[in-house]
Amino acid sequence: MSLEKFYYDNRTVKWFAYACMFWGLIGMLAGLWAALTLVMPELNLGFAPTTFGRLRPVHTNAVIFAFVGNGIFMGVYYSLQRLCKARMFSDLLSKIHFWGWQAIIAGGAVTLFLGYTTGKEYAELEWPFDIAITVIWVVFGANMLGTILRRRESHLYVAIWFYIGTWVAIAMLHIINSFEYPMSLFKSYSWYAGVQDALVQWWYGHNAVAFFLTTPYLGLMYYFVPKAANRPVYSYRWSIIHFWSLIFIYIWAGPHHLLYTALPEWAQSLGTVFSVMLIAPSWGGMLNGLLTLRGAWDRVREDAILKFFVVALTCYGMATFEGPMLSLKNVNAISHYTDWTIAHVHVGALGWNGFLTFGILYWMIPRIFSTQLYSRKWANTHFWIGTLGIIFYVIPLYWAAFTQSMMWKQFTEEGQLKYQFLETVTTIVPMYALRAFGGLLYVSGLVLMVVNLYKTIRRGAFVADEAAEAAPLPKVIPTHGKAHWHNWIERRPIQLVVFSLVVVAVGGILEMVPTFLVRSNIPTISSVKPYTPLELHGRDIYIREGCYTCHSQMIRPFRDEVARYGEYSKAGEFIYDHPFQWGSKRTGPDLARIGGKYPDSWHYNHMLDPTSMSPGSIMPPYPWLFEERIDRSKTPAMINVMRKLGVPYADGYEKQALADLDKQANSIAAALEKDKLPVKADREIVALIAYLQRMGKDIKMAPAEKPATADASTGSTTKNDF
């Protein structure tokens, strides 16, 4: 059979590699800056775009979608061509994919800095970017599937299964979570509300970790680890089990982010069960990768690339053991809302994603530039600096998490809370300083890698179109020997796409449908009313400033939380919250019952200078709220959109809304005037105070319910629905 000559496209691979390093540096520096603001609050600079609440989403989006995203595309474009023995389907689609993705990243970073956000973690980009992401993801999928369909290799290697599974799952997750109603070019409201929004968000949030930070990197692991070790994958059968069990089980696990919340108990339990099951396929994949290195361990001592891969796989194993453990209710009662979750995430992000990316870059760049790595010694130095960075990052955060959680739960002999919330924060600031030092080490290693690869590139000669040859794909694909049941699907990419979609869709459907259709899952509370126009503006400001990144609005049924914050949260409280604001981390106290706890003047002074009300606070001041005016022109549109989302504002209320807004604003301004705090009624601080004073007031007006029974071992209570 004659061989066909063709050329691999290395140009797109190079672009994505450069973008990966560039955005990695930007995203990690943003993370380092955010970490330092928790140690030295003055680094918030008194400037809106550089406050922690805006820096954090910039950091998370840059690291996830820019650094890791470009790393995925770099690895996929390099490996897919060689696994299929074919050039990418379309050079034009490759260019559109690359430049479109970079435009989304740059535009997203600018808008997040400016405060345009949906307020949903890991999905903060507003609706125009959601549409752009969908379009570029389709472009990527078309290019990938087109390449697979015109392949010259009959067998679809395991890495390709993970690429296909990633593409299918992310498309489903992104589209469903991004249902939102636009109000203006950069403002929209989630289609879902309260409990339902929380379920959809963490179904997406957990599985964004699963299908953006895990499955594509497993595909890269299955290609690059065997290549670097010059060994075949340890077990092909394991890879089959690993793929199908992982994509099926992962999709169910999202509710473990919402344990002890107002989410229905059956959904929480379902998330816990599947989370615990996840350890089997996850560790099967980790061991398959590590055992691939059998016979090559002597090289690990000298080869920095293999070192990076070994630690990456080890961190993957650690994170996928810790995740199921954190989904156990007795562990989650300690870990949730603390820095344990942050440490857990960064074991995966820094170790698994970061180190695997670094190893791939060190292996791949010299090859596409036809040269040797400039300095193996520098690469080994990078490995040790990066490893120390991870250790200094995560261990202080575990320490901080246990310290703070135990302080939260301490009572005196008289039955009073032993510590004020602020005391639990100031105690762990030294641990935050150690975390920042770890981040500095990690970023320093990245800089060393960039310099090393720059010098490698300078002395090499780039091969834009790499010559290759292979026999064409036969019209009838032969089966050699006894056919395995899996042979049928692994030679048929379209069927693989369809089967993958079915497998990942099942869990989401069975979790969400009852929550949306069975009314008893979300019991209503008669005293809960829609927000006033001024409170709606205040809520938008709260979301814009990223307050949800530090404050929760979900009181769990524990003795210490009820004693500290008030009555535990009920599902019916949140039916008008588009989006929900339960939060995932308490750097500041829970705010679910903050309304009426302090006078308006307290909130005024607290936002102007947090330390004046809370000495030692690490919260930034918000002076611009006292200068910026409420955008009253948006009020009718806000009411109209909320009505379309099911909030029961009366028909024509838009005409009355501004008068009601002015009345409430003037009332707050008058109260502040009495306390010798003059402020104009049209300032944003007035709207924010209105929202803060509303939180929890409706539930205080609700009919009394039967006393809850306390669990002596955990301090938790049994819920009685209204």
Side-chain angles (χ1 to χ4, degrees), residues 176-349:
I176 293 175
N177 188 56
S178 296
F179 281 149
E180 53 212 357
Y181 207 107
M183 187 188 76
S184 60
L185 180 60
F186 290 117
K187 183 60 186 175
S188 65
Y189 296 98
S190 174
W191 190 269
Y192 318 103
V195 173
Q196 295 164 342
D197 193 38
L199 177 61
V200 174
Q201 161 61 22
W202 283 113
W203 172 78
Y204 162 86
H206 178 79
N207 291 303
V209 173
F211 290 97
F212 203 84
L213 300 177
T214 303
T215 54
Y217 267 68
L218 288 168
L220 300 181
M221 179 273 287
Y222 273 114
Y223 180 83
F224 287 100
V225 170
K227 283 288 187 182
N230 197 25
R231 295 287 189 278
V233 169
Y234 174 72
S235 173
Y236 178 67
R237 290 180 183 272
W238 278 18
S239 67
I240 296 173
I241 298 170
H242 181 203
F243 173 71
W244 291 108
S245 59
L246 193 77
I247 68 169
F248 174 72
I249 296 173
Y250 236 133
I251 208 78
W252 296 77
H256 77 222
H257 289 264
L258 300 169
L259 299 182
Y260 291 112
T261 68
L263 187 73
E265 196 71 31
W266 66 265
Q268 297 183 40
S269 299
L270 201 62
T272 297
V273 168
F274 278 89
S275 298
V276 173
M277 291 166 60
L278 259 176
I279 195 169
S282 298
W283 272 48
M286 174 198 68
L287 292 172
N288 210 8
L290 288 175
L291 290 172
T292 297
L293 296 170
R294 70 200 188 286
W297 284 99
D298 58 312
R299 291 171 47 204
V300 175
R301 289 194 300 271
E302 305 295 331
D303 192 338
I305 294 170
L306 292 181
K307 284 191 181 78
F308 277 110
F309 287 163
V310 167
V311 172
L313 284 162
T314 305
C315 287
Y316 172 62
M318 291 168 61
T320 52
F321 170 79
E322 192 177 26
M325 182 173 68
L326 292 174
S327 71
L328 299 174
K329 279 198 163 184
N330 55 345
V331 179
N332 190 272
I334 299 170
S335 69
H336 196 45
Y337 291 128
T338 73
D339 288 289
W340 190 342
T341 305
I342 311 302
H344 163 64
V345 167
H346 283 81
V347 169

Side-chain angles (χ1 to χ4, degrees), residues 519 522-526 528 571-573 575 722:
R519 292 183 63 85
I522 314 295
T524 57
I525 301 172
S526 59
V528 174
E573 292 182 54
I575 56 174
F722 280 76

Side-chain angles (χ1 to χ4, degrees), residues 566-627:
E567 190 176 358
Y568 66 83
S569 300
K570 318 293 192 302
E573 292 182 54
F574 310 102
I575 56 174
Y576 303 130
D577 282 358
H578 299 270
F580 81 112
Q581 288 292 288
W582 294 1
S584 60
K585 172 72 172 68
R586 284 179 183 155
T587 307
D590 188 276
L591 300 180
R593 304 279 181 263
I594 194 72
K597 185 176 181 180
Y598 304 108
D600 293 346
S601 58
W602 188 94
H603 292 292
Y604 179 101
N605 288 318
H606 188 242
M607 299 305 296
L608 186 62
D609 178 10
T611 59
S612 66
M613 296 291 100
S614 304
S617 172
I618 60 173
M619 175 178 158
Y622 292 86
W624 55 91
L625 298 181
F626 299 80
E627 303 295 331

Side-chain angles (χ1 to χ4, degrees), residues 32 35-36 388-389 392-393 432-442:
L32 178 59
L36 287 169
L388 285 172
F392 273 101
Y393 191 104
Y432 283 166
L434 285 173
R435 182 263 294 270
F437 175 67
L440 178 62
L441 287 177
Y442 196 88

